[in-house]
Amino acid sequence: MEVAPAEFDRDTAVTQVDHGQFEADISDRWNTFVGPDGGYVMALAVRALQETLPFPDPLVTSGHFLRPAAVGGVTITTEAVKVGRRHATATARVSQAGRDLLVVVGTFADLTGATGRTEMIARPPDLPDPIDCIDPLASMPDVGASIVHRVAYRLAELPGWMRGEPSGRPAAEFWMRLQDGRPPDPLALTFLVDAAPPTVLEIGETASSTVELTTHVRARPAEGWLACRLATKHVMNGYHEEDMEIWDSAGTLVAQSRQLALLL
Amino acid sequence: MEVAPAEFDRDTAVTQVDHGQFEADISDRWNTFVGPDGGYVMALAVRALQETLPFPDPLVTSGHFLRPAAVGGVTITTEAVKVGRRHATATARVSQAGRDLLVVVGTFADLTGATGRTEMIARPPDLPDPIDCIDPLASMPDVGASIVHRVAYRLAELPGWMRGEPSGRPAAEFWMRLQDGRPPDPLALTFLVDAAPPTVLEIGETASSTVELTTHVRARPAEGWLACRLATKHVMNGYHEEDMEIWDSAGTLVAQSRQLALLL
């Protein structure tokens, strides 16, 4: 039986038109308040890199954001730099109307083959079951950011900034998944690390813009809700880092990201 | 009066031989036990990027390491991707004997011009004055890693792994600076984030190899010793992240880095 692809897969589809040349469409379904989500554009680049390299999993991807993306067509140019036995590395450039939006370097691997020592010093977020949590969007009017219809969140309590009382603590723990139930995978993780409202909302800011985003995918996620931990520790001269951890329903760390962003 | 350049400046010198083409030498003075230090090779790329872009400070640099470097000549190929009003982005490839060692994307800025909100949630390491600290190398025999003659460390107490008793806690706080007293600057920070022994030594490991290293330079450092905080929280299937913070003598966070590394 043919099953229609999930929205996320349809909206990150890339078409190879030549060696290392891809075309794709930035959909209007993944917009934050200021335009297409950066993590979503990153996922398009990751799709093109998956087509370019012999390993499926984006072990570590670094993206430098040059300009805001707009809804519409993009071209993605990839170049394999090294294909080794364990890792393969390539670059990708996402361009729109002849101007580069995003430069990515990605090192890919096959995480099913990863073996070696495991020693966890940190633990997953300690959250109530998703069913006992609040859906922060349930009581919200339509906010005009289409991404909130694509990603589901569950929280133990409503964050301060949503109640008009920023807590002063730019940190959050919550559940997340794709709204339509599409199971998480390494590709989706490269989007989801950038799919939550920035924690600087808790210090009274309204938005920030990603300069650079590096994501480590540490394991293929189990099905179900993802437990997330988001934190900013240093806001300096308008720049801040934002660290995200995503743990799967089996309690495994599946992704870790850090971005450098600029307050708007 | 002409002053001879410091070792670090001499050993990271790059010579432009054509547009976006540089030659450099990997010196034998910055070797760890397994060869030239990755952060040192990164600093060579950063020097070439500084020559390529109109802004001096490596605000955020992402390097993917493809092969171990050897002492000797390298070529560095750079390409400016975007030069904007506030940020400029370029790529660099470091090659040796016709094979790529390292691919870097860097976004540069002028940090003297950075203004905007500052809000520090985290604090610098709480260390005794350097003069009241231990020089871990004072009692060590010559260990055959030349980097230990180039970088000075000061610690409140000798780390467990140096006493043959790994603590089981892969975290460390210590002072660091270039041995010859060369003042820290953004270029040196892109090396120093990778210049300390990995904290996985505290869980009984002997070495690990960097897959990717991203460094955020958050401010130009004041002169003097740098207070460092190094930690690994998740070792999974042989891979681990290592997070470094460097704070200057005035208590300002000047660099933050994360690397993904593979236990050897």
Side-chain angles (χ1 to χ4, degrees):
Chain A
M1 192 181 81
E2 282 277 319
V3 178
E7 263 180 333
F8 179 72
D9 298 297
R10 203 172 62 218
D11 290 346
T12 56
V14 298
T15 305
Q16 185 150 10
V17 292
D18 201 347
H19 182 72
Q21 288 285 344
F22 299 84
E23 290 179 357
D25 272 298
I26 294 183
S27 150
D28 64 2
R29 282 183 282 271
W30 308 84
N31 275 10
T32 69
F33 295 102
V34 293
D37 178 66
Y40 165 55
V41 181
M42 192 77 177
L44 286 170
V46 170
R47 280 287 289 264
L49 289 168
Q50 285 177 323
E51 299 292 317
T52 302
L53 294 171
F55 300 130
D57 297 315
L59 176 67
V60 46
T61 46
S62 316
H64 290 240
F65 290 81
L66 311 175
R67 296 180 172 87
V71 170
V74 291
T75 61
I76 307 172
T77 308
T78 65
E79 184 188 353
V81 182
K82 185 195 170 197
V83 176
R85 274 185 312 120
R86 181 165 190 156
H87 296 146
T89 301
T91 60
R93 281 200 202 185
V94 182
S95 308
Q96 193 165 45
R99 306 203 305 172
D100 288 326
L101 302 181
L102 172 63
V103 186
V104 180
V105 185
T107 293
F108 283 59
D110 185 343
L111 287 171
T112 55
T115 56
R117 185 170 177 189
T118 295
E119 195 82 47
M120 300 300 282
I121 287 83
R123 310 246 54 91
D126 186 20
L127 287 162
D129 278 350
I131 202 160
D132 297 320
C133 283
I134 293 166
D135 175 356
L137 302 175
S139 59
M140 260 180 103
D142 196 332
V143 291
S146 58
I147 193 172
V148 304
H149 302 298
R150 308 278 115 59
V151 182
Y153 309 90
R154 293 290 184 277
L155 298 93
E157 54 182 26
L158 223 49
W161 66 269
M162 283 191 73
R163 303 189 312 264
E165 298 165 8
S167 69
R169 294 183 307 278
E173 296 189 346
F174 51 92
W175 297 103
M176 187 163 53
R177 71 171 189 196
L178 287 166
Q179 185 67 264
D180 63 5
R182 178 198 182 278
D185 65 1
L187 173 71
L189 294 174
T190 63
F191 156 65
L192 289 169
V193 293
D194 193 41
T199 51
V200 289
L201 297 174
E202 291 293 3
I203 55 168
E205 298 293 332
T206 52
S208 81
S209 159
T210 305
V211 177
E212 193 268 352
L213 169 63
T214 293
T215 302
H216 304 176
V217 172
R218 303 293 295 270
R220 294 195 183 171
E223 257 197 76
W225 286 92
L226 299 163
C228 304
R229 180 182 280 138
L230 193 63
T232 289
K233 292 197 292 182
H234 318 99
V235 181
M236 283 175 63
N237 300 315
Y239 291 98
H240 65 96
E241 93 287 7
E242 185 175 82
D243 286 358
M244 175 72 137
E245 292 170 15
I246 301 185
W247 301 71
D248 73 6
S249 59
T252 300
L253 178 76
V254 291
Q256 198 175 12
S257 75
R258 172 172 290 167
Q259 62 178 272
L260 184 69
L262 188 57
L263 298 176
L264 293 180
Chain B
M1 190 181 81
E2 283 276 319
V3 178
E7 263 181 332
F8 180 72
D9 298 297
R10 204 173 61 218
D11 289 348
T12 57
V14 299
T15 304
Q16 186 150 9
V17 293
D18 200 350
H19 181 73
Q21 288 285 344
F22 299 83
E23 290 179 357
D25 271 299
I26 293 182
S27 150
D28 64 1
R29 282 183 283 271
W30 308 84
N31 275 10
T32 68
F33 295 100
V34 294
D37 178 67
Y40 165 57
V41 181
M42 191 78 178
L44 285 169
V46 170
R47 280 288 287 265
L49 289 169
Q50 286 177 322
E51 300 291 318
T52 302
L53 294 172
F55 300 131
D57 297 315
L59 176 68
V60 45
T61 46
S62 317
H64 290 240
F65 291 80
L66 310 175
R67 295 180 173 86
V71 170
V74 292
T75 61
I76 307 172
T77 308
T78 65
E79 185 188 353
V81 181
K82 186 196 168 195
V83 176
R85 274 186 311 119
R86 181 166 193 155
H87 297 145
T89 301
T91 59
R93 282 200 202 185
V94 182
S95 308
Q96 193 164 46
R99 304 204 306 172
D100 289 324
L101 302 181
L102 172 63
V103 186
V104 180
V105 186
T107 294
F108 283 60
D110 185 342
L111 288 171
T112 55
T115 55
R117 185 168 178 189
T118 295
E119 195 83 48
M120 299 300 282
I121 287 82
R123 310 246 54 90
D126 186 19
L127 287 162
D129 279 349
I131 201 159
D132 297 321
C133 284
I134 293 166
D135 175 358
L137 302 175
S139 59
M140 261 180 103
D142 196 332
V143 290
S146 57
I147 193 172
V148 305
H149 303 298
R150 307 279 114 61
V151 182
Y153 309 90
R154 293 292 182 276
L155 298 91
E157 53 182 26
L158 223 50
W161 66 269
M162 283 190 72
R163 303 189 311 264
E165 298 164 8
S167 68
R169 295 182 307 277
E173 296 188 346
F174 52 92
W175 297 104
M176 187 163 53
R177 70 171 189 196
L178 287 167
Q179 186 68 262
D180 63 4
R182 178 197 183 279
D185 65 1
L187 174 70
L189 293 173
T190 62
F191 157 63
L192 289 168
V193 293
D194 193 41
T199 51
V200 290
L201 296 174
E202 290 292 2
I203 55 168
E205 298 294 332
T206 52
S208 79
S209 159
T210 305
V211 177
E212 193 269 350
L213 169 62
T214 293
T215 302
H216 303 177
V217 173
R218 302 294 293 271
R220 294 196 184 170
E223 256 196 76
W225 286 92
L226 299 163
C228 303
R229 181 181 279 137
L230 192 64
T232 289
K233 293 198 291 183
H234 319 98
V235 181
M236 283 174 63
N237 299 315
Y239 291 98
H240 64 96
E241 92 287 5
E242 185 175 82
D243 287 358
M244 175 72 137
E245 293 171 14
I246 301 186
W247 301 70
D248 73 6
S249 59
T252 301
L253 177 76
V254 291
Q256 198 173 13
S257 75
R258 171 171 291 165
Q259 63 177 271
L260 183 70
L262 188 56
L263 297 176
L264 292 179

